[in-house]
Amino acid sequence: MTGNMACYLFIDGVLQELHWFKQSYGSWFLGDYVCEDGRLYTATPVDPVFILLPIFEEARMKKGDDLGMFRQLDEIVYIDGYPGYHSLLSIAEKSMQIVCDLKEIGSIKFFRLNDLKVLRWLTYKVHQLKKAIPTLDKNYAARDEKDTLFDAVSIVGEYLKEEPWLNLLCSKFKLNLQEAVNSQDTEVVLHSNGSGPSSFNPVQESNKVDKKTVRTTRQTKKAKVEENSKNIKDMFSRAARKGR
């Protein structure tokens, strides 16, 4: 994560991010009563890899060109003063195998974060978002491919530290890092088929990444922008950031 505070729920083995929504004017009808507070809280599933990535990065104790150490899972997720991480132990093993090297000695498994696997996984997330964004509304459908790619990287970047991951991701797609950072004042809630770790096949995706980044030269017809429609990025903010 970025180091900014956010709220999460862990229910029935599913990690969810808490979002806060409020229009300038709004209220709720509750039976015969009117609730003046028109705020709405929603919980949406989030890939645990985003949450666990920073602690796995630190746990390997990588220095320079050294790849770092293999560590047991319970050692990695046990962080003094942050018991919430340990509650994710039940889903950490399956989730983090996608981005880690794995060693087994007897019945004990040892994990070490792999930079190339992380970048491949992040690239996959960007491509999934890039396909989903134009389906949101006509405003997004009217944007060109480069702008849509920039939006996708910015959204994924909401969950990453600038160094090394967002920097590597911007370099991968040849985007300006500072512009991606500045665009993160707004957020979006998306449900895509690629939101879960089980949907990512690192072997198959390694052959697809470079081909997908090539921008087509054929001009596509832009949809007419719908008047008075709202930008979905302006509708949601993380619960912990509602004071901004």
Side-chain angles (χ1 to χ4, degrees):
M1 295 297 286
T2 61
N4 297 322
M5 293 183 63
C7 295
Y8 295 90
L9 301 174
F10 187 54
I11 303 176
D12 298 328
V14 178
L15 184 64
Q16 301 180 60
E17 184 178 8
L18 193 63
H19 297 268
W20 176 75
F21 167 64
K22 179 175 173 59
Q23 291 181 311
S24 299
Y25 302 96
S27 58
W28 295 102
F29 289 96
L30 303 175
D32 296 329
Y33 299 92
V34 177
C35 177
E36 295 181 0
D37 187 351
R39 289 177 295 180
L40 175 66
Y41 287 89
T42 62
T44 57
V46 61
D47 197 317
V49 177
F50 283 116
I51 313 302
L52 295 169
L53 187 59
I55 63 173
F56 273 72
E57 179 185 358
E58 185 175 347
R60 63 180 171 172
M61 294 185 283
K62 184 177 184 293
K63 295 181 180 180
D65 295 332
D66 180 27
L67 297 178
M69 299 174 55
F70 283 88
R71 305 281 296 277
Q72 287 183 251
L73 194 59
D74 56 352
E75 288 181 331
I76 297 173
V77 300
Y78 181 80
I79 302 177
D80 189 30
Y82 297 90
Y85 279 112
H86 204 258
S87 64
L88 300 179
L89 184 61
S90 60
I91 61 174
E93 179 176 339
K94 181 179 179 181
S95 300
M96 296 305 293
Q97 286 189 36
I98 296 171
V99 293
C100 288
D101 295 325
L102 182 65
K103 276 186 178 182
E104 294 189 48
I105 301 177
S107 59
I108 304 176
K109 295 181 179 180
F110 298 85
F111 292 77
R112 182 181 66 191
L113 200 65
N114 183 308
D115 289 359
L116 292 178
K117 290 182 179 180
V118 174
L119 183 58
R120 191 179 301 161
W121 174 80
L122 290 173
T123 302
Y124 171 80
K125 291 292 185 183
V126 169
H127 284 309
Q128 291 300 101
L129 279 171
K130 185 170 173 283
K131 289 190 295 184
I133 287 174
T135 67
L136 295 176
D137 64 18
K138 291 182 179 180
N139 281 337
Y140 281 102
R143 306 193 72 184
D144 62 35
E145 186 176 352
K146 184 176 181 180
D147 288 338
T148 303
L149 174 62
F150 184 83
D151 284 343
V153 172
S154 298
I155 293 169
V156 173
E158 279 282 339
Y159 298 87
L160 303 172
K161 292 180 178 180
E162 287 185 32
E163 288 292 342
W165 310 120
L166 183 54
N167 191 17
L168 288 173
L169 197 58
C170 286
S171 297
K172 174 70 178 180
F173 290 105
K174 297 179 174 60
L175 298 176
N176 184 287
L177 173 63
Q178 195 56 48
E179 289 181 3
V181 172
N182 292 339
S183 70
Q184 291 174 10
D185 290 335
T186 54
E187 299 175 18
V188 62
V189 178
L190 288 175
H191 298 277
S192 69
N193 293 331
S195 60
S198 60
S199 62
F200 173 59
N201 187 324
V203 177
Q204 294 177 356
E205 292 303 318
S206 64
N207 297 324
K208 297 179 181 179
V209 166
D210 292 335
K211 294 180 181 178
K212 287 186 177 181
T213 57
V214 178
R215 182 178 178 183
T216 177
T217 57
R218 185 176 62 182
Q219 292 285 337
T220 56
K221 185 177 181 180
K222 293 184 178 181
K224 182 180 179 181
V225 177
E226 184 179 7
E227 295 181 358
N228 300 322
S229 63
K230 295 182 178 180
N231 188 326
I232 195 170
K233 283 188 174 184
D234 298 329
M235 295 175 60
F236 289 90
S237 63
R238 292 185 186 176
R241 299 183 183 179
K242 60 186 179 182
R244 288 197 309 180

